[in-house]
Amino acid sequence: MAEGETTTLYEAIGGDEAVKALTERFYVLMDTLPEAARCRALHPDDLTGSREKLYLYLTGWLGGPPVYVERYGHPMLRRRHFGAAIGPVEVEEWLLCFDRALDETVAHPKLREIIREPITRLAHHMRNTE
């Protein structure tokens, strides 16, 4: 990298393939872990659309191409999720799946730490019920 250039998290974790792997592992965990059952129940039986949207969102959120915004507009995440009753249990279950997927797909511990803090804040921001 030339002096003055920056690297995005998207690039640092391995780009498109890494985001695909993270997203895929996240949904496998959510679909199979008994301790994520309440979070899973908020999703449709077929996770294809959910998987695609999270992949597109994470791609841009991590500094890659803004593919989610190009396709769907501003994320407005709370608004888009308001129809789902997201309480503290669902938030923690979502984070359990995301944390495990992150640990399993992003090799560098510092990168995981950098990603984990804001994604945890974001997950708690999505809570809309007690």
Side-chain angles (χ1 to χ4, degrees):
M1 181 172 9
E3 186 177 331
E5 286 185 34
T6 59
T7 299
T8 66
L9 284 171
Y10 176 81
E11 295 165 330
I13 67 169
D16 188 63
E17 290 305 312
V19 177
K20 281 181 182 172
L22 172 60
T23 303
E24 180 63 29
R25 187 63 185 144
F26 169 82
Y27 278 105
V28 166
L29 290 165
M30 187 176 44
D31 202 30
T32 59
L33 289 177
E35 58 266 46
R38 287 182 57 180
C39 181
R40 175 62 179 96
L42 296 177
H43 292 77
D45 290 341
D46 181 356
L47 292 170
T48 303
S50 300
R51 184 181 292 112
E52 176 71 6
K53 286 180 179 175
L54 182 60
Y55 158 73
L56 294 172
Y57 176 76
L58 287 176
T59 295
W61 185 80
L62 290 165
V67 287
Y68 183 95
V69 173
E70 290 168 353
R71 191 169 301 172
Y72 299 105
H74 189 282
M76 300 180 294
L77 292 179
R78 277 185 58 89
R79 183 175 181 196
R80 292 184 195 268
H81 288 81
F82 204 71
I86 301 171
V89 171
E90 291 78 11
V91 169
E92 291 307 318
E93 289 180 1
W94 191 95
L95 284 169
L96 170 72
C97 296
F98 193 89
D99 285 345
R100 285 192 188 177
L102 188 65
D103 289 344
E104 293 175 19
T105 61
V106 175
H108 197 286
K110 184 64 175 172
L111 291 173
R112 293 193 307 262
E113 180 184 326
I114 291 168
I115 293 167
R116 189 169 277 125
E117 181 196 342
I119 207 78
T120 299
R121 282 194 317 267
L122 179 61
H124 285 283
H125 178 69
M126 299 305 292
R127 181 176 162 187
N128 58 26
T129 67
E130 293 302 317

